[in-house]
Amino acid sequence: MRFFDNKRYNKIFGYCFAFITVVLLVVLFLFQWDTVSSFFKNILNVLEPVLWGLVIAFIMNSMVKRTEIILSKTVFRKKAHPKISRAIGIAVASVIIIAVITLVIMAVIPQIISSIPGIYDGLINEVYPAVETWLTKLLDDYPSIASVVSSELDNITSYLSSFVSNLASQLSTLLTSLLSFANSVKNFILGFFVAIYFLASKEVLQMQAKKLIVALFPERIYHPIFTFTSSTNHALLGFIYGKILDSIIIGCLCAVGMLILQMPYGMIISIIIGITNIIPIFGPFIGAIPSAILVLIAEPNKVIWFVIFILVLQQIDGNIIGPKILGNSIGISSFWVLISIIVCGNLFGIVGMIIGVPLFAVIFDLLSAIVRRNLTRKNMPTETSYYSMAGVNIGSEGTIIPAVEVTESTQDVAIADGTEGNSTEASGED
């Protein structure tokens, strides 16, 4: 759309409009962050089933493709039946996903229900008497601590009374959390059906998306977009499947180790360790802390051995299993992995910690492509090691010009010759 007949005026107007828009967005994000975050959270809540559908369809897509290839080589060798192959592929992928979820639920829920009496007995019969004995001995050996405790007894009593009085509000918060969890389950189920529709008509949706991109962007932009999305799709798929396989292996190894060491709650702890292992860096700690508490309640004398076992298991995963499976599929350094987990975890919780690394990998890949393109246009090297050299000036055509140390004598000569003002420009031209 052109607002002026003169191309120069249209270009100036476009730059001004873009600058004003960026300034307004920056001001809005800086001074109205609560409003902006609330707005985006509401949008995410509305689109949650669609987002679940995209994620599930992305995971199921390779299963559907593999099933279609097998059918084309075995059943439909003479005549292709794409619609029947697609329907069978979606059915097979759906059965696999449902079977995995069902197996996890059947393995976790009965274990949790059967472990509740044991946890309660452990707290009442072992932990509570041990703590009571330790406190009694501590107060007998250190009378000063006993006097401090007796002086603070009134504060403890008032705190307990306020806790009991606020119990209704805490129960209300618990009910809200349960309702939120039920809503997430509902959105996941809806997302599953959305994924089926996505997969059934993925070619049409793909063509529509390409048509829209070609219509909105010039050729020099939409070709890199297609290349970037294709490479990103392979990288993300490799990362997700690799991380799932890595977590399954770690969960199985944890179950075998728990069985050999005769640790309590082996099945529950193995599932916790396997699921939380999907989260890079922080996952092992997130899974190990509640697992160590369970072992401490059941058999306190084994908790140290459990912690040592988990540390050894995570070292094996981080140095042997993980690199073998994932390789360099992430494509970003450990520093950016840490930043991605912190940022996305604060924004989206546990889900953000899981998707943060591949999301940052996509952004990092996009920025790297832009940087490489701009450096190539300037005839500059694209190797990062080139820019680590200290004490040099980088020439406009990629040449390295040694920096000249300016001393008092050289400065006096430059002033006397009248060349001080042109020294920098001359060195740049050389």
Side-chain angles (χ1 to χ4, degrees), residues 11 21 33 61 82 100 113 118 137 187 192 221 260 271 274 293 304 310 330 351 381 393:
K11 192 173 183 179
T21 303
W33 172 246
N61 186 43
V100 170
I113 294 174
K137 186 176 183 303
N187 289 331
F192 189 81
I221 293 179
I260 294 173
I271 292 174
I293 293 174
I304 301 298
I310 292 297
I330 300 177
V351 176
N393 294 322

Side-chain angles (χ1 to χ4, degrees), residues 108-129 264-266 268-269 272 290-300:
V108 172
I109 300 299
Q111 285 285 325
I112 292 176
I113 294 174
S114 62
S115 301
I116 290 175
I119 295 174
Y120 177 78
D121 292 338
L123 287 172
I124 298 300
N125 298 327
E126 296 183 14
V127 177
Y128 178 75
Y265 310 116
I268 295 178
I269 290 176
I272 292 174
S291 302
I293 293 174
L294 287 176
V295 176
L296 179 63
I297 292 173
E299 299 183 29

Side-chain angles (χ1 to χ4, degrees), residues 268-418:
I268 295 178
I269 290 176
S270 299
I271 292 174
I272 292 174
I273 296 296
I275 292 175
T276 55
N277 192 69
I278 297 176
I279 304 173
I281 298 178
F282 296 111
F285 301 100
I286 295 173
I289 292 173
S291 302
I293 293 174
L294 287 176
V295 176
L296 179 63
I297 292 173
E299 299 183 29
N301 59 328
K302 291 185 176 181
V303 67
I304 301 298
W305 293 108
F306 171 76
V307 172
I308 294 174
F309 167 68
I310 292 297
L311 289 175
V312 172
L313 182 63
Q314 295 304 330
Q315 288 299 315
I316 294 174
D317 178 41
N319 296 300
I320 301 175
I321 299 176
K324 288 291 183 181
I325 295 175
L326 294 174
N328 296 320
S329 61
I330 300 177
I332 55 177
S333 64
S334 301
F335 172 77
W336 291 114
V337 170
L338 180 63
I339 295 299
S340 66
I341 295 171
I342 293 174
V343 172
C344 294
N346 288 330
L347 290 176
F348 307 111
I350 297 295
V351 176
M353 298 178 75
I354 296 173
I355 67 172
V357 175
L359 180 63
F360 261 64
V362 171
I363 297 173
F364 191 84
D365 194 14
L366 178 61
L367 292 177
S368 299
I370 295 173
V371 169
R372 284 195 300 270
R373 184 191 64 185
N374 291 341
L375 288 175
T376 304
R377 287 179 177 177
K378 296 179 180 180
N379 295 323
M380 298 294 291
T382 57
E383 295 81 6
T384 306
S385 58
Y386 171 80
Y387 301 92
S388 65
M389 303 177 185
V392 297
N393 294 322
I394 299 175
S396 59
E397 298 298 327
T399 57
I400 302 176
I401 301 170
V404 179
E405 183 179 358
V406 179
T407 60
E408 291 184 1
S409 59
T410 57
Q411 189 173 13
D412 292 339
V413 172
I415 294 173
D417 294 339

